[in-house]
Amino acid sequence: MDATTNTQDSTTDAIAVEVDHVSKIFRGEQEVRALDDVSVGIRKNEFFTLLGPSGCGKTTLLRLIAGFEPPTMGAIRLGGRDISRLPPNQRPVNTVFQNYALFPHMSVAQNIAFGLEMLGKPKAEVQKTVDEMLRLVRMEELKNRRTGEISGGQQQRVALARALAPHPEVLLLDEPLSALDLKLRKDMQIELKRLQSETGITFIFVTHDQEEALTMSDRIAVMSAGKILQVGPPRDIYERPAERFVANFIGESNFLDATLAGGKATLAAGGTFDVHVPEGVRDGKVSVLVRPEHATVHAGEAGEREIAGTVENVVYSGEATVVHLRLATGEAMKARLSNAPQGGEAAPETGSAAAVTIAPGAVTVLRD
Amino acid sequence: MADRPVKQPKGYSVRTLPGFAVLALFTFFALYAPITILVAYSFNAGTSLAIWEGFSLRWYYQAAANEAVQDAAIRSLYLAFSAATIATIAATMAALATTRTRHFPGKTMIYALINQPLMVPEIVTAVALLIVFAAVKVWTGHTSMIYLIAAHTAFCVPFAYLPIRARLETMDTSLEAAAQDLYASPWMTFRRVTLPLMWPGIVAGLMLAFVISLDDVVITEFVKSAGQDTLPTYMLGQLRRVVTPEVNAISTVILVAGAILVTLFFRLTSRRG
């Protein structure tokens, strides 16, 4: 897709990292194209997330920006300067590694001081910045501990402090929360957002967790098979996915057949909706997306503007109930109903006839 | 030794099978009984290796006062220290070159070549060195310790290489990536991260090489020039004449020194990184 369509809302923002037609091919026993002509501009002070399943190339792109691998083709520019051929120690970019990679033979404070010492900063300045960083990640009390003697969450904070201490132009985070348990992960998500806004550093965050991406990011790039499929703010990515892969990867989806004509889509199952049409999609047969929470169901015959179906399964999951339906066209559809307090309207029963209502604006045309 | 026993799967034990306990006892007896007797008789007051005549340290005093023993002991230590040090430096570089480089053609072959001396029978190496060094000695007229140091260094390299390589292989390479990411040059990455973390492996390699050199008889016997006896070759020479518990005393000292070094070696290699 054309990345410029997603950036036109703020073209005035300065670009921190520009990935320009980058390909990465690993030549081993067989050739692997880890990145395939990827172009994207990451803005200054942005929390930017690379989201995709394992093997999609997100970590490779991060390693290329850090300098651990050279691109096979294309260029990576930092503040307009081509850094594609610079070794990692000459790039003003720091990384938080997936396994933290803390130096086990050094204390917490020595780990944080390492980058500053390598930059040749005077002792007093190193000391001052280390103290600042310890305060920033709330680790002052543990500064003399060995890194093996602190918990996973604390190691995570030290890794962050160590990477932030030299005040890099860009901070790269390679699935830094994946080793933490759910509760700690939620806390660290908030912590990371706080650190990003307090330091004003551009964050490039790699994850395969869609919820993490949606809650934390200013913008998300969804990747698959070495390509960036879509770039945009979380809301756009969730509500206006351009392709079936993006829709499927993020959230729950219903894919329905429809006919597109003059900005309106008529579902095969019935009903005509005003739709947003992505670039390059022409009138005719299309595939559309309806999120399960944008559909409601009630028992009984379908009235006007409603779609008739049969209830196949009802799944209770605490805050919601998901109703699985079979439409007259044979298509499967799910509707997600928020649960009312006890005694409220019950979901229709399995095997009964039901009517589906789709909220206006909830139908999204997909490109594939 | 200080090595920890392997963790056993629960629920299955060979203890119930016949023969294991008996064989184990017999093996330990066969291994340690002669050594125990050797150590015991080093404290014998008499001159016999077979008849106990009371406790005494006379053979230790006699060995310590024996100029030939002193001379051989100093030479052994000098030789072991020189050879182990040179071998460890070479082995450290070899270990780095075989673990901290991208794959290159012939890497597997180089790995095999480094370890090959472990598989060549020692007598073959000894004869080969004898022939080569004899020619060099005739050609140059030079007969210093250099030949022994060279020979010992050669067979010590694979012993020093193994623990160092093992250490490097278990080390997380993302630590070096992190150092580079934090502005460390390749040299600073080595000095501040790789070297301190591989240090236990280097010390272990040095100690193992030291013990192996201290212990060597066959190659030393073939390579040494006149008057270049080490402790083991001196003892071998003594056996051809009259055997007194002095040999036991020297053996016991070597045994204790070796045991201390090997114990330290296991402690260093089994410690988590």
Side-chain angles (χ1 to χ4, degrees), chain B residues 177-247:
Chain B
Q180 284 179 279
D181 187 64
L182 292 161
Y183 314 106
S185 63
W187 166 245
M188 284 309 272
T189 302
F190 176 72
R191 210 177 69 99
R192 296 284 305 268
V193 176
T194 315
L195 187 61
L197 289 172
M198 74 188 288
W199 190 247
I202 294 175
V203 176
L206 182 76
M207 289 191 314
L208 196 59
F210 191 85
V211 171
I212 297 290
S213 165
L214 205 61
D215 185 45
D216 181 72
V217 179
V218 179
I219 290 174
T220 313
E221 189 68 29
F222 276 71
V223 172
K224 73 183 167 75
S225 302
Q228 289 185 343
D229 264 320
T230 61
L231 268 185
T233 62
Y234 168 79
M235 287 159 68
L236 188 68
Q238 285 306 100
L239 290 179
R240 296 194 189 112
R241 293 172 218 143
V242 61
V243 183
T244 65
E246 186 185 309
V247 173

Side-chain angles (χ1 to χ4, degrees), chain A residues 320-331:
Chain A
T321 298
V322 178
V323 181
H324 294 254
L325 300 131
R326 182 68 57 185
L327 305 183
T329 52
E331 292 166 300

Side-chain angles (χ1 to χ4, degrees), chain A residues 25 39 44 62 67 96 118 127 132-133 147 175-176 196 223 274-275 279 286 288 292 301-302 315 318:
Chain A
I25 298 162
S39 291
K44 277 206 170 108
L62 204 73
V96 177
M118 291 301 119
Q127 193 61 48
E132 247 168 58
M133 286 299 140
T147 57
E175 308 217 22
Q196 199 254 334
M223 294 186 71
D274 288 327
V275 288
E279 221 176 297
V286 290
V288 300
E301 295 305 312
V315 180

Side-chain angles (χ1 to χ4, degrees), chain A residues 15-326:
Chain A
I15 297 295
V17 179
E18 191 189 356
V19 178
D20 188 5
H21 295 286
V22 164
S23 291
K24 178 67 188 175
I25 298 162
F26 290 106
R27 291 194 176 86
E29 278 166 27
Q30 65 200 73
E31 227 176 65
V32 180
R33 191 173 278 265
L35 290 175
D36 189 1
D37 195 24
V38 169
S39 291
V40 65
I42 296 151
R43 295 174 202 143
K44 277 206 170 108
N45 306 340
E46 183 172 41
F47 197 117
F48 190 88
T49 298
L50 297 169
L51 173 67
S54 63
C56 72
K58 57 191 193 299
T59 297
T60 303
L61 182 53
L62 204 73
R63 290 178 60 82
L64 254 59
I65 297 170
F68 299 128
E69 309 269 356
T72 311
M73 275 171 276
I76 292 165
R77 281 184 280 273
L78 191 73
R81 187 167 69 113
D82 188 350
I83 57 161
S84 315
R85 306 286 148 186
L86 286 182
N89 58 315
Q90 289 172 28
R91 300 184 184 201
V93 167
N94 290 144
T95 308
V96 177
F97 291 82
Q98 188 168 11
N99 63 354
Y100 315 142
L102 296 177
F103 304 127
H105 58 301
M106 298 181 197
S107 70
V108 165
Q110 285 169 331
N111 263 279
I112 298 172
F114 189 86
L116 297 160
E117 285 171 7
M118 291 301 119
L119 285 171
K121 301 279 184 209
K123 268 219 167 80
E125 192 190 326
V126 173
Q127 193 61 48
K128 194 171 144 269
T129 313
V130 168
D131 287 343
E132 247 168 58
M133 286 299 140
L134 285 165
R135 213 172 314 121
L136 190 68
V137 297
R138 307 191 182 107
M139 288 285 293
E140 293 110 312
E141 273 110 77
L142 300 173
K143 69 177 197 175
N144 292 321
R145 292 279 193 91
R146 285 288 172 116
T147 57
E149 301 166 349
I150 57 178
S151 73
Q154 290 166 339
Q155 289 182 19
Q156 167 75 82
R157 286 159 195 276
V158 177
L160 267 166
R162 185 180 71 174
L164 285 170
H167 208 86
E169 286 175 35
V170 178
L171 186 74
L172 308 174
L173 302 106
D174 184 9
E175 308 217 22
L177 307 183
S178 61
L180 304 178
D181 61 44
L182 186 66
K183 176 76 178 64
L184 207 51
R185 196 152 69 219
K186 296 276 177 206
D187 293 346
M188 280 310 293
Q189 286 179 6
I190 296 162
E191 184 87 2
L192 273 178
K193 276 300 270 186
R194 177 181 72 86
L195 284 173
Q196 199 254 334
S197 60
E198 277 182 29
T199 57
I201 292 171
T202 308
F203 277 34
I204 304 179
F205 185 86
V206 160
T207 185
H208 63 267
D209 184 329
Q210 44 124 347
E211 196 214 325
E212 207 165 270
L214 291 173
T215 38
M216 299 171 75
S217 316
D218 293 323
R219 284 195 307 154
I220 299 171
V222 182
M223 294 186 71
S224 169
K227 285 176 185 291
I228 291 183
L229 302 180
Q230 190 173 358
V231 183
R235 212 185 167 100
D236 278 10
I237 297 280
Y238 184 77
E239 291 181 5
R240 297 260 174 268
E243 299 186 27
R244 183 185 284 252
F245 180 88
V246 177
N248 216 3
F249 192 72
I250 298 174
E252 294 281 306
S253 311
N254 291 303
F255 298 113
L256 301 171
D257 290 333
T259 310
L260 181 66
K264 284 178 192 292
T266 306
L267 300 187
T272 299
F273 298 85
D274 288 327
V275 288
H276 165 82
V277 182
E279 221 176 297
V281 178
R282 274 185 255 137
D283 284 2
K285 293 264 180 226
V286 290
S287 200
V288 300
L289 162 76
V290 178
R291 295 289 186 192
E293 69 272 22
H294 293 156
T296 54
V297 185
H298 66 80
E301 295 305 312
E304 215 175 314
R305 296 178 169 278
E306 289 179 338
I307 302 166
T310 313
V311 178
E312 288 201 322
N313 208 353
V314 180
V315 180
Y316 176 81
S317 67
E319 84 280 10
T321 298
V322 178
V323 181
H324 294 254
L325 300 131
R326 182 68 57 185

